Amino acid sequence: MPAAGWPEGFPAHWQPPADESQFRQRPRQEVRPRGRSRSPRRTRNEPAPERTLIVDFPSSKLGQLVGFKGITIQKVKDNAGVSVLHIDDHEKAKARSQSTIPVEMAGSEEQVMACQRILQDICNGDQTPVGHLTSLINIELAAVGKIMGNKGSTVKQLSEET
């Protein structure tokens, strides 16, 4: 049976101490910061993106914009300085059935304008703003096989070296 006035669950023989000095004082623990999340955190002084713009980009040029493993779109984002350059996965899946795909960008006015110029250049086939140089060389039809190499080995070697 519990002690008088104490809730159920306390042993019957337990009595509160006569004075509070008998309680053991634990040192107060400092509050540790939680682990950082992987999402970028804005500081309080950093302003929110000033402008968000969604532009229609030709679906036929989507591969040139994204690039191998997303390298090209990352370079566009870095060169323009925008905080967001995003193609929705759901919209990307519908790219074959649509003529255009929405591309979202956010940043300051100058950054968004620079990103638009780079996207326009990519639409026109010019990837020099992202560091890709393209040169067209006319070769004879008979030399194509030699340039390609066995199973494309020469072309792979050239692309790895440059």
PDB file of all heavy atoms in Angstrom, residues 2-41:
ATOM      1  N   PRO A   2       0.574   2.211  -0.888  1.00  0.00           N
ATOM      2  CA  PRO A   2       1.437   3.386  -0.969  1.00  0.00           C
ATOM      3  C   PRO A   2       1.292   4.270   0.255  1.00  0.00           C
ATOM      4  O   PRO A   2       0.304   4.219   0.980  1.00  0.00           O
ATOM      5  CB  PRO A   2       0.955   4.100  -2.230  1.00  0.00           C
ATOM      6  CG  PRO A   2      -0.419   3.604  -2.483  1.00  0.00           C
ATOM      7  CD  PRO A   2      -0.502   2.245  -1.862  1.00  0.00           C
ATOM      8  N   ALA A   3       2.309   5.095   0.440  1.00  0.00           N
ATOM      9  CA  ALA A   3       2.274   6.049   1.559  1.00  0.00           C
ATOM     10  C   ALA A   3       1.129   7.020   1.351  1.00  0.00           C
ATOM     11  O   ALA A   3       0.707   7.279   0.236  1.00  0.00           O
ATOM     12  CB  ALA A   3       3.604   6.787   1.643  1.00  0.00           C
ATOM     13  N   ALA A   4       0.606   7.545   2.434  1.00  0.00           N
ATOM     14  CA  ALA A   4      -0.551   8.435   2.354  1.00  0.00           C
ATOM     15  C   ALA A   4      -0.213   9.675   1.542  1.00  0.00           C
ATOM     16  O   ALA A   4       0.806  10.318   1.749  1.00  0.00           O
ATOM     17  CB  ALA A   4      -0.990   8.828   3.761  1.00  0.00           C
ATOM     18  N   GLY A   5      -1.070   9.996   0.613  1.00  0.00           N
ATOM     19  CA  GLY A   5      -0.895  11.197  -0.191  1.00  0.00           C
ATOM     20  C   GLY A   5       0.022  11.026  -1.393  1.00  0.00           C
ATOM     21  O   GLY A   5       0.260  11.974  -2.124  1.00  0.00           O
ATOM     22  N   TRP A   6       0.567   9.818  -1.603  1.00  0.00           N
ATOM     23  CA  TRP A   6       1.473   9.587  -2.737  1.00  0.00           C
ATOM     24  C   TRP A   6       0.751   8.780  -3.796  1.00  0.00           C
ATOM     25  O   TRP A   6      -0.094   7.953  -3.495  1.00  0.00           O
ATOM     26  CB  TRP A   6       2.730   8.840  -2.280  1.00  0.00           C
ATOM     27  CG  TRP A   6       3.584   9.719  -1.417  1.00  0.00           C
ATOM     28  CD1 TRP A   6       3.587   9.759  -0.066  1.00  0.00           C
ATOM     29  CD2 TRP A   6       4.495  10.704  -1.842  1.00  0.00           C
ATOM     30  NE1 TRP A   6       4.451  10.695   0.409  1.00  0.00           N
ATOM     31  CE2 TRP A   6       5.038  11.299  -0.695  1.00  0.00           C
ATOM     32  CE3 TRP A   6       4.924  11.155  -3.078  1.00  0.00           C
ATOM     33  CZ2 TRP A   6       5.979  12.316  -0.738  1.00  0.00           C
ATOM     34  CZ3 TRP A   6       5.870  12.159  -3.119  1.00  0.00           C
ATOM     35  CH2 TRP A   6       6.376  12.730  -1.968  1.00  0.00           C
ATOM     36  N   PRO A   7       1.070   9.031  -5.060  1.00  0.00           N
ATOM     37  CA  PRO A   7       0.380   8.320  -6.132  1.00  0.00           C
ATOM     38  C   PRO A   7       0.683   6.831  -6.119  1.00  0.00           C
ATOM     39  O   PRO A   7       1.652   6.372  -5.527  1.00  0.00           O
ATOM     40  CB  PRO A   7       0.903   8.976  -7.409  1.00  0.00           C
ATOM     41  CG  PRO A   7       2.041   9.822  -7.038  1.00  0.00           C
ATOM     42  CD  PRO A   7       2.033   9.989  -5.547  1.00  0.00           C
ATOM     43  N   GLU A   8      -0.152   6.104  -6.801  1.00  0.00           N
ATOM     44  CA  GLU A   8      -0.013   4.655  -6.927  1.00  0.00           C
ATOM     45  C   GLU A   8       1.325   4.352  -7.590  1.00  0.00           C
ATOM     46  O   GLU A   8       1.746   5.034  -8.512  1.00  0.00           O
ATOM     47  CB  GLU A   8      -1.157   4.122  -7.794  1.00  0.00           C
ATOM     48  CG  GLU A   8      -1.259   2.625  -7.840  1.00  0.00           C
ATOM     49  CD  GLU A   8      -1.762   2.050  -6.531  1.00  0.00           C
ATOM     50  OE1 GLU A   8      -2.601   2.687  -5.873  1.00  0.00           O
ATOM     51  OE2 GLU A   8      -1.308   0.964  -6.172  1.00  0.00           O
ATOM     52  N   GLY A   9       2.021   3.339  -7.143  1.00  0.00           N
ATOM     53  CA  GLY A   9       3.285   2.950  -7.743  1.00  0.00           C
ATOM     54  C   GLY A   9       4.481   3.242  -6.857  1.00  0.00           C
ATOM     55  O   GLY A   9       5.552   2.695  -7.061  1.00  0.00           O
ATOM     56  N   PHE A  10       4.330   4.128  -5.860  1.00  0.00           N
ATOM     57  CA  PHE A  10       5.426   4.394  -4.938  1.00  0.00           C
ATOM     58  C   PHE A  10       5.439   3.312  -3.880  1.00  0.00           C
ATOM     59  O   PHE A  10       4.385   2.873  -3.419  1.00  0.00           O
ATOM     60  CB  PHE A  10       5.254   5.758  -4.253  1.00  0.00           C
ATOM     61  CG  PHE A  10       5.789   6.894  -5.073  1.00  0.00           C
ATOM     62  CD1 PHE A  10       4.981   7.540  -5.985  1.00  0.00           C
ATOM     63  CD2 PHE A  10       7.100   7.302  -4.943  1.00  0.00           C
ATOM     64  CE1 PHE A  10       5.451   8.586  -6.724  1.00  0.00           C
ATOM     65  CE2 PHE A  10       7.579   8.343  -5.688  1.00  0.00           C
ATOM     66  CZ  PHE A  10       6.758   9.000  -6.602  1.00  0.00           C
ATOM     67  N   PRO A  11       6.619   2.868  -3.456  1.00  0.00           N
ATOM     68  CA  PRO A  11       6.655   1.853  -2.391  1.00  0.00           C
ATOM     69  C   PRO A  11       6.093   2.406  -1.082  1.00  0.00           C
ATOM     70  O   PRO A  11       6.214   3.598  -0.799  1.00  0.00           O
ATOM     71  CB  PRO A  11       8.142   1.523  -2.246  1.00  0.00           C
ATOM     72  CG  PRO A  11       8.859   2.251  -3.312  1.00  0.00           C
ATOM     73  CD  PRO A  11       7.917   3.205  -3.961  1.00  0.00           C
ATOM     74  N   ALA A  12       5.510   1.523  -0.320  1.00  0.00           N
ATOM     75  CA  ALA A  12       4.855   1.941   0.926  1.00  0.00           C
ATOM     76  C   ALA A  12       5.856   2.474   1.935  1.00  0.00           C
ATOM     77  O   ALA A  12       5.535   3.342   2.737  1.00  0.00           O
ATOM     78  CB  ALA A  12       4.084   0.768   1.520  1.00  0.00           C
ATOM     79  N   HIS A  13       7.081   1.967   1.912  1.00  0.00           N
ATOM     80  CA  HIS A  13       8.059   2.371   2.912  1.00  0.00           C
ATOM     81  C   HIS A  13       8.770   3.670   2.551  1.00  0.00           C
ATOM     82  O   HIS A  13       9.490   4.225   3.367  1.00  0.00           O
ATOM     83  CB  HIS A  13       9.093   1.257   3.112  1.00  0.00           C
ATOM     84  CG  HIS A  13       9.929   1.011   1.895  1.00  0.00           C
ATOM     85  ND1 HIS A  13       9.482   0.192   0.875  1.00  0.00           N
ATOM     86  CD2 HIS A  13      11.132   1.486   1.525  1.00  0.00           C
ATOM     87  CE1 HIS A  13      10.409   0.177  -0.066  1.00  0.00           C
ATOM     88  NE2 HIS A  13      11.416   0.954   0.309  1.00  0.00           N
ATOM     89  N   TRP A  14       8.557   4.168   1.358  1.00  0.00           N
ATOM     90  CA  TRP A  14       9.288   5.364   0.934  1.00  0.00           C
ATOM     91  C   TRP A  14       8.686   6.589   1.567  1.00  0.00           C
ATOM     92  O   TRP A  14       7.472   6.804   1.541  1.00  0.00           O
ATOM     93  CB  TRP A  14       9.252   5.501  -0.596  1.00  0.00           C
ATOM     94  CG  TRP A  14      10.164   6.573  -1.102  1.00  0.00           C
ATOM     95  CD1 TRP A  14      11.479   6.456  -1.357  1.00  0.00           C
ATOM     96  CD2 TRP A  14       9.822   7.925  -1.394  1.00  0.00           C
ATOM     97  NE1 TRP A  14      12.006   7.641  -1.787  1.00  0.00           N
ATOM     98  CE2 TRP A  14      10.986   8.574  -1.817  1.00  0.00           C
ATOM     99  CE3 TRP A  14       8.661   8.663  -1.307  1.00  0.00           C
ATOM    100  CZ2 TRP A  14      11.041   9.904  -2.181  1.00  0.00           C
ATOM    101  CZ3 TRP A  14       8.706   9.997  -1.669  1.00  0.00           C
ATOM    102  CH2 TRP A  14       9.883  10.615  -2.101  1.00  0.00           C
ATOM    103  N   GLN A  15       9.525   7.404   2.131  1.00  0.00           N
ATOM    104  CA  GLN A  15       9.099   8.659   2.735  1.00  0.00           C
ATOM    105  C   GLN A  15       9.922   9.787   2.130  1.00  0.00           C
ATOM    106  O   GLN A  15      11.123   9.623   1.877  1.00  0.00           O
ATOM    107  CB  GLN A  15       9.303   8.633   4.258  1.00  0.00           C
ATOM    108  CG  GLN A  15       8.415   7.655   4.963  1.00  0.00           C
ATOM    109  CD  GLN A  15       6.951   8.068   4.860  1.00  0.00           C
ATOM    110  OE1 GLN A  15       6.606   9.240   4.936  1.00  0.00           O
ATOM    111  NE2 GLN A  15       6.087   7.083   4.658  1.00  0.00           N
ATOM    112  N   PRO A  16       9.333  10.943   1.906  1.00  0.00           N
ATOM    113  CA  PRO A  16      10.113  12.062   1.372  1.00  0.00           C
ATOM    114  C   PRO A  16      11.147  12.517   2.386  1.00  0.00           C
ATOM    115  O   PRO A  16      10.960  12.346   3.598  1.00  0.00           O
ATOM    116  CB  PRO A  16       9.064  13.145   1.118  1.00  0.00           C
ATOM    117  CG  PRO A  16       7.901  12.787   1.952  1.00  0.00           C
ATOM    118  CD  PRO A  16       7.944  11.293   2.126  1.00  0.00           C
ATOM    119  N   PRO A  17      12.271  13.057   1.906  1.00  0.00           N
ATOM    120  CA  PRO A  17      13.294  13.523   2.848  1.00  0.00           C
ATOM    121  C   PRO A  17      12.779  14.683   3.689  1.00  0.00           C
ATOM    122  O   PRO A  17      11.897  15.429   3.273  1.00  0.00           O
ATOM    123  CB  PRO A  17      14.448  13.967   1.949  1.00  0.00           C
ATOM    124  CG  PRO A  17      13.859  14.120   0.591  1.00  0.00           C
ATOM    125  CD  PRO A  17      12.650  13.256   0.528  1.00  0.00           C
ATOM    126  N   ALA A  18      13.354  14.811   4.867  1.00  0.00           N
ATOM    127  CA  ALA A  18      12.904  15.856   5.796  1.00  0.00           C
ATOM    128  C   ALA A  18      13.209  17.249   5.242  1.00  0.00           C
ATOM    129  O   ALA A  18      12.418  18.162   5.372  1.00  0.00           O
ATOM    130  CB  ALA A  18      13.560  15.665   7.156  1.00  0.00           C
ATOM    131  N   ASP A  19      14.377  17.423   4.662  1.00  0.00           N
ATOM    132  CA  ASP A  19      14.674  18.713   4.042  1.00  0.00           C
ATOM    133  C   ASP A  19      15.250  18.467   2.646  1.00  0.00           C
ATOM    134  O   ASP A  19      15.746  17.396   2.333  1.00  0.00           O
ATOM    135  CB  ASP A  19      15.632  19.541   4.909  1.00  0.00           C
ATOM    136  CG  ASP A  19      16.980  18.889   5.036  1.00  0.00           C
ATOM    137  OD1 ASP A  19      17.023  17.664   5.335  1.00  0.00           O
ATOM    138  OD2 ASP A  19      17.973  19.584   4.846  1.00  0.00           O
ATOM    139  N   GLU A  20      15.182  19.470   1.810  1.00  0.00           N
ATOM    140  CA  GLU A  20      15.557  19.330   0.407  1.00  0.00           C
ATOM    141  C   GLU A  20      17.047  19.151   0.197  1.00  0.00           C
ATOM    142  O   GLU A  20      17.483  18.787  -0.883  1.00  0.00           O
ATOM    143  CB  GLU A  20      15.059  20.541  -0.384  1.00  0.00           C
ATOM    144  CG  GLU A  20      13.583  20.756  -0.226  1.00  0.00           C
ATOM    145  CD  GLU A  20      12.912  20.906  -1.557  1.00  0.00           C
ATOM    146  OE1 GLU A  20      13.591  21.047  -2.567  1.00  0.00           O
ATOM    147  OE2 GLU A  20      11.679  20.871  -1.572  1.00  0.00           O
ATOM    148  N   SER A  21      17.879  19.385   1.199  1.00  0.00           N
ATOM    149  CA  SER A  21      19.326  19.275   1.038  1.00  0.00           C
ATOM    150  C   SER A  21      19.755  17.825   0.830  1.00  0.00           C
ATOM    151  O   SER A  21      20.860  17.560   0.401  1.00  0.00           O
ATOM    152  CB  SER A  21      20.049  19.876   2.233  1.00  0.00           C
ATOM    153  OG  SER A  21      19.747  19.125   3.391  1.00  0.00           O
ATOM    154  N   GLN A  22      18.897  16.888   1.155  1.00  0.00           N
ATOM    155  CA  GLN A  22      19.244  15.490   0.981  1.00  0.00           C
ATOM    156  C   GLN A  22      19.127  15.045  -0.483  1.00  0.00           C
ATOM    157  O   GLN A  22      19.611  13.989  -0.837  1.00  0.00           O
ATOM    158  CB  GLN A  22      18.348  14.618   1.860  1.00  0.00           C
ATOM    159  CG  GLN A  22      18.598  14.813   3.325  1.00  0.00           C
ATOM    160  CD  GLN A  22      17.666  13.961   4.152  1.00  0.00           C
ATOM    161  OE1 GLN A  22      16.760  13.317   3.645  1.00  0.00           O
ATOM    162  NE2 GLN A  22      17.882  13.974   5.468  1.00  0.00           N
ATOM    163  N   PHE A  23      18.456  15.846  -1.320  1.00  0.00           N
ATOM    164  CA  PHE A  23      18.378  15.508  -2.742  1.00  0.00           C
ATOM    165  C   PHE A  23      19.743  15.705  -3.379  1.00  0.00           C
ATOM    166  O   PHE A  23      20.430  16.693  -3.105  1.00  0.00           O
ATOM    167  CB  PHE A  23      17.355  16.392  -3.471  1.00  0.00           C
ATOM    168  CG  PHE A  23      15.942  15.983  -3.239  1.00  0.00           C
ATOM    169  CD1 PHE A  23      15.079  16.798  -2.530  1.00  0.00           C
ATOM    170  CD2 PHE A  23      15.464  14.782  -3.737  1.00  0.00           C
ATOM    171  CE1 PHE A  23      13.765  16.431  -2.320  1.00  0.00           C
ATOM    172  CE2 PHE A  23      14.150  14.406  -3.530  1.00  0.00           C
ATOM    173  CZ  PHE A  23      13.299  15.225  -2.827  1.00  0.00           C
ATOM    174  N   ARG A  24      20.127  14.781  -4.187  1.00  0.00           N
ATOM    175  CA  ARG A  24      21.410  14.889  -4.873  1.00  0.00           C
ATOM    176  C   ARG A  24      21.252  15.853  -6.045  1.00  0.00           C
ATOM    177  O   ARG A  24      20.359  15.693  -6.868  1.00  0.00           O
ATOM    178  CB  ARG A  24      21.855  13.516  -5.377  1.00  0.00           C
ATOM    179  CG  ARG A  24      23.219  13.529  -5.979  1.00  0.00           C
ATOM    180  CD  ARG A  24      23.717  12.128  -6.221  1.00  0.00           C
ATOM    181  NE  ARG A  24      22.728  11.309  -6.910  1.00  0.00           N
ATOM    182  CZ  ARG A  24      22.954  10.673  -8.051  1.00  0.00           C
ATOM    183  NH1 ARG A  24      24.128  10.707  -8.609  1.00  0.00           N
ATOM    184  NH2 ARG A  24      22.014   9.951  -8.618  1.00  0.00           N
ATOM    185  N   GLN A  25      22.109  16.838  -6.089  1.00  0.00           N
ATOM    186  CA  GLN A  25      22.057  17.821  -7.162  1.00  0.00           C
ATOM    187  C   GLN A  25      22.879  17.318  -8.347  1.00  0.00           C
ATOM    188  O   GLN A  25      24.029  16.920  -8.195  1.00  0.00           O
ATOM    189  CB  GLN A  25      22.635  19.163  -6.682  1.00  0.00           C
ATOM    190  CG  GLN A  25      21.851  19.793  -5.570  1.00  0.00           C
ATOM    191  CD  GLN A  25      20.595  20.450  -6.106  1.00  0.00           C
ATOM    192  OE1 GLN A  25      20.588  20.953  -7.208  1.00  0.00           O
ATOM    193  NE2 GLN A  25      19.542  20.416  -5.312  1.00  0.00           N
ATOM    194  N   ARG A  26      22.273  17.318  -9.524  1.00  0.00           N
ATOM    195  CA  ARG A  26      23.003  16.947 -10.724  1.00  0.00           C
ATOM    196  C   ARG A  26      23.473  18.220 -11.411  1.00  0.00           C
ATOM    197  O   ARG A  26      22.740  19.201 -11.466  1.00  0.00           O
ATOM    198  CB  ARG A  26      22.111  16.174 -11.698  1.00  0.00           C
ATOM    199  CG  ARG A  26      21.946  14.735 -11.301  1.00  0.00           C
ATOM    200  CD  ARG A  26      21.337  13.964 -12.403  1.00  0.00           C
ATOM    201  NE  ARG A  26      19.891  14.210 -12.419  1.00  0.00           N
ATOM    202  CZ  ARG A  26      19.098  13.875 -13.419  1.00  0.00           C
ATOM    203  NH1 ARG A  26      19.582  13.310 -14.483  1.00  0.00           N
ATOM    204  NH2 ARG A  26      17.818  14.114 -13.352  1.00  0.00           N
ATOM    205  N   PRO A  27      24.699  18.186 -11.955  1.00  0.00           N
ATOM    206  CA  PRO A  27      25.135  19.372 -12.687  1.00  0.00           C
ATOM    207  C   PRO A  27      24.262  19.560 -13.931  1.00  0.00           C
ATOM    208  O   PRO A  27      23.853  18.591 -14.572  1.00  0.00           O
ATOM    209  CB  PRO A  27      26.582  19.068 -13.070  1.00  0.00           C
ATOM    210  CG  PRO A  27      26.716  17.601 -12.942  1.00  0.00           C
ATOM    211  CD  PRO A  27      25.690  17.141 -11.955  1.00  0.00           C
ATOM    212  N   ARG A  28      23.993  20.792 -14.226  1.00  0.00           N
ATOM    213  CA  ARG A  28      23.144  21.090 -15.369  1.00  0.00           C
ATOM    214  C   ARG A  28      23.912  20.822 -16.656  1.00  0.00           C
ATOM    215  O   ARG A  28      25.036  21.284 -16.830  1.00  0.00           O
ATOM    216  CB  ARG A  28      22.713  22.537 -15.304  1.00  0.00           C
ATOM    217  CG  ARG A  28      21.665  22.857 -16.275  1.00  0.00           C
ATOM    218  CD  ARG A  28      21.046  24.161 -15.940  1.00  0.00           C
ATOM    219  NE  ARG A  28      19.766  24.185 -16.606  1.00  0.00           N
ATOM    220  CZ  ARG A  28      18.952  25.176 -16.570  1.00  0.00           C
ATOM    221  NH1 ARG A  28      19.258  26.224 -15.870  1.00  0.00           N
ATOM    222  NH2 ARG A  28      17.819  25.135 -17.211  1.00  0.00           N
ATOM    223  N   GLN A  29      23.292  20.071 -17.551  1.00  0.00           N
ATOM    224  CA  GLN A  29      23.939  19.741 -18.817  1.00  0.00           C
ATOM    225  C   GLN A  29      23.705  20.855 -19.820  1.00  0.00           C
ATOM    226  O   GLN A  29      22.641  21.467 -19.847  1.00  0.00           O
ATOM    227  CB  GLN A  29      23.382  18.437 -19.386  1.00  0.00           C
ATOM    228  CG  GLN A  29      23.718  17.241 -18.545  1.00  0.00           C
ATOM    229  CD  GLN A  29      23.126  15.982 -19.157  1.00  0.00           C
ATOM    230  OE1 GLN A  29      22.261  16.061 -20.009  1.00  0.00           O
ATOM    231  NE2 GLN A  29      23.603  14.841 -18.712  1.00  0.00           N
ATOM    232  N   GLU A  30      24.747  21.093 -20.619  1.00  0.00           N
ATOM    233  CA  GLU A  30      24.602  22.085 -21.671  1.00  0.00           C
ATOM    234  C   GLU A  30      23.774  21.499 -22.799  1.00  0.00           C
ATOM    235  O   GLU A  30      23.831  20.309 -23.071  1.00  0.00           O
ATOM    236  CB  GLU A  30      25.970  22.484 -22.212  1.00  0.00           C
ATOM    237  CG  GLU A  30      26.814  23.240 -21.210  1.00  0.00           C
ATOM    238  CD  GLU A  30      28.126  23.643 -21.816  1.00  0.00           C
ATOM    239  OE1 GLU A  30      28.191  23.810 -23.054  1.00  0.00           O
ATOM    240  OE2 GLU A  30      29.086  23.783 -21.067  1.00  0.00           O
ATOM    241  N   VAL A  31      23.035  22.350 -23.446  1.00  0.00           N
ATOM    242  CA  VAL A  31      22.233  21.913 -24.582  1.00  0.00           C
ATOM    243  C   VAL A  31      23.156  21.816 -25.782  1.00  0.00           C
ATOM    244  O   VAL A  31      23.800  22.791 -26.164  1.00  0.00           O
ATOM    245  CB  VAL A  31      21.082  22.904 -24.850  1.00  0.00           C
ATOM    246  CG1 VAL A  31      20.295  22.477 -26.067  1.00  0.00           C
ATOM    247  CG2 VAL A  31      20.205  23.014 -23.630  1.00  0.00           C
ATOM    248  N   ARG A  32      23.234  20.639 -26.345  1.00  0.00           N
ATOM    249  CA  ARG A  32      24.086  20.429 -27.511  1.00  0.00           C
ATOM    250  C   ARG A  32      23.301  20.734 -28.779  1.00  0.00           C
ATOM    251  O   ARG A  32      22.123  20.402 -28.875  1.00  0.00           O
ATOM    252  CB  ARG A  32      24.565  18.983 -27.579  1.00  0.00           C
ATOM    253  CG  ARG A  32      25.462  18.606 -26.453  1.00  0.00           C
ATOM    254  CD  ARG A  32      25.933  17.195 -26.639  1.00  0.00           C
ATOM    255  NE  ARG A  32      26.644  16.749 -25.465  1.00  0.00           N
ATOM    256  CZ  ARG A  32      27.080  15.524 -25.307  1.00  0.00           C
ATOM    257  NH1 ARG A  32      26.870  14.626 -26.226  1.00  0.00           N
ATOM    258  NH2 ARG A  32      27.722  15.195 -24.217  1.00  0.00           N
ATOM    259  N   PRO A  33      23.977  21.348 -29.742  1.00  0.00           N
ATOM    260  CA  PRO A  33      23.259  21.587 -31.003  1.00  0.00           C
ATOM    261  C   PRO A  33      23.011  20.267 -31.711  1.00  0.00           C
ATOM    262  O   PRO A  33      23.809  19.335 -31.624  1.00  0.00           O
ATOM    263  CB  PRO A  33      24.217  22.477 -31.804  1.00  0.00           C
ATOM    264  CG  PRO A  33      25.553  22.245 -31.198  1.00  0.00           C
ATOM    265  CD  PRO A  33      25.329  21.858 -29.765  1.00  0.00           C
ATOM    266  N   ARG A  34      21.910  20.198 -32.392  1.00  0.00           N
ATOM    267  CA  ARG A  34      21.592  18.991 -33.137  1.00  0.00           C
ATOM    268  C   ARG A  34      22.492  18.877 -34.349  1.00  0.00           C
ATOM    269  O   ARG A  34      23.066  19.854 -34.801  1.00  0.00           O
ATOM    270  CB  ARG A  34      20.144  19.016 -33.594  1.00  0.00           C
ATOM    271  CG  ARG A  34      19.185  18.903 -32.442  1.00  0.00           C
ATOM    272  CD  ARG A  34      17.802  18.830 -32.966  1.00  0.00           C
ATOM    273  NE  ARG A  34      16.872  18.648 -31.860  1.00  0.00           N
ATOM    274  CZ  ARG A  34      15.613  18.420 -32.022  1.00  0.00           C
ATOM    275  NH1 ARG A  34      15.094  18.351 -33.217  1.00  0.00           N
ATOM    276  NH2 ARG A  34      14.829  18.265 -30.986  1.00  0.00           N
ATOM    277  N   GLY A  35      22.582  17.682 -34.897  1.00  0.00           N
ATOM    278  CA  GLY A  35      23.374  17.466 -36.096  1.00  0.00           C
ATOM    279  C   GLY A  35      22.834  18.292 -37.249  1.00  0.00           C
ATOM    280  O   GLY A  35      21.638  18.568 -37.342  1.00  0.00           O
ATOM    281  N   ARG A  36      23.719  18.697 -38.136  1.00  0.00           N
ATOM    282  CA  ARG A  36      23.306  19.535 -39.255  1.00  0.00           C
ATOM    283  C   ARG A  36      22.590  18.713 -40.296  1.00  0.00           C
ATOM    284  O   ARG A  36      22.953  17.589 -40.583  1.00  0.00           O
ATOM    285  CB  ARG A  36      24.528  20.176 -39.905  1.00  0.00           C
ATOM    286  CG  ARG A  36      25.090  21.265 -39.025  1.00  0.00           C
ATOM    287  CD  ARG A  36      26.013  22.104 -39.769  1.00  0.00           C
ATOM    288  NE  ARG A  36      25.378  22.571 -40.991  1.00  0.00           N
ATOM    289  CZ  ARG A  36      25.833  23.540 -41.716  1.00  0.00           C
ATOM    290  NH1 ARG A  36      26.906  24.158 -41.361  1.00  0.00           N
ATOM    291  NH2 ARG A  36      25.238  23.907 -42.816  1.00  0.00           N
ATOM    292  N   SER A  37      21.602  19.301 -40.875  1.00  0.00           N
ATOM    293  CA  SER A  37      20.905  18.629 -41.958  1.00  0.00           C
ATOM    294  C   SER A  37      21.682  18.840 -43.246  1.00  0.00           C
ATOM    295  O   SER A  37      22.556  19.697 -43.333  1.00  0.00           O
ATOM    296  CB  SER A  37      19.488  19.194 -42.106  1.00  0.00           C
ATOM    297  OG  SER A  37      19.543  20.516 -42.557  1.00  0.00           O
ATOM    298  N   ARG A  38      21.369  18.054 -44.249  1.00  0.00           N
ATOM    299  CA  ARG A  38      22.062  18.172 -45.528  1.00  0.00           C
ATOM    300  C   ARG A  38      21.535  19.335 -46.360  1.00  0.00           C
ATOM    301  O   ARG A  38      22.164  19.762 -47.296  1.00  0.00           O
ATOM    302  CB  ARG A  38      21.916  16.882 -46.327  1.00  0.00           C
ATOM    303  CG  ARG A  38      22.688  15.751 -45.715  1.00  0.00           C
ATOM    304  CD  ARG A  38      22.495  14.496 -46.536  1.00  0.00           C
ATOM    305  NE  ARG A  38      23.321  13.449 -46.017  1.00  0.00           N
ATOM    306  CZ  ARG A  38      24.339  12.938 -46.657  1.00  0.00           C
ATOM    307  NH1 ARG A  38      24.640  13.352 -47.842  1.00  0.00           N
ATOM    308  NH2 ARG A  38      25.053  11.985 -46.124  1.00  0.00           N
ATOM    309  N   SER A  39      20.370  19.833 -46.009  1.00  0.00           N
ATOM    310  CA  SER A  39      19.823  20.934 -46.786  1.00  0.00           C
ATOM    311  C   SER A  39      20.545  22.221 -46.417  1.00  0.00           C
ATOM    312  O   SER A  39      20.919  22.437 -45.273  1.00  0.00           O
ATOM    313  CB  SER A  39      18.325  21.080 -46.522  1.00  0.00           C
ATOM    314  OG  SER A  39      18.108  21.373 -45.170  1.00  0.00           O
ATOM    315  N   PRO A  40      20.775  23.075 -47.407  1.00  0.00           N
ATOM    316  CA  PRO A  40      21.485  24.318 -47.096  1.00  0.00           C
ATOM    317  C   PRO A  40      20.653  25.201 -46.184  1.00  0.00           C
ATOM    318  O   PRO A  40      19.446  25.303 -46.331  1.00  0.00           O
ATOM    319  CB  PRO A  40      21.672  24.960 -48.465  1.00  0.00           C
ATOM    320  CG  PRO A  40      20.671  24.325 -49.347  1.00  0.00           C
ATOM    321  CD  PRO A  40      20.402  22.966 -48.798  1.00  0.00           C
ATOM    322  N   ARG A  41      21.309  25.819 -45.253  1.00  0.00           N
ATOM    323  CA  ARG A  41      20.622  26.657 -44.288  1.00  0.00           C
ATOM    324  C   ARG A  41      20.974  28.116 -44.585  1.00  0.00           C
ATOM    325  O   ARG A  41      22.128  28.468 -44.730  1.00  0.00           O
ATOM    326  CB  ARG A  41      21.067  26.305 -42.884  1.00  0.00           C
ATOM    327  CG  ARG A  41      20.332  27.084 -41.821  1.00  0.00           C
ATOM    328  CD  ARG A  41      20.821  26.741 -40.468  1.00  0.00           C
ATOM    329  NE  ARG A  41      20.526  25.342 -40.189  1.00  0.00           N
ATOM    330  CZ  ARG A  41      20.699  24.785 -39.017  1.00  0.00           C
ATOM    331  NH1 ARG A  41      21.173  25.484 -38.035  1.00  0.00           N
ATOM    332  NH2 ARG A  41      20.422  23.513 -38.834  1.00  0.00           N
TER     333      ARG A  41
END
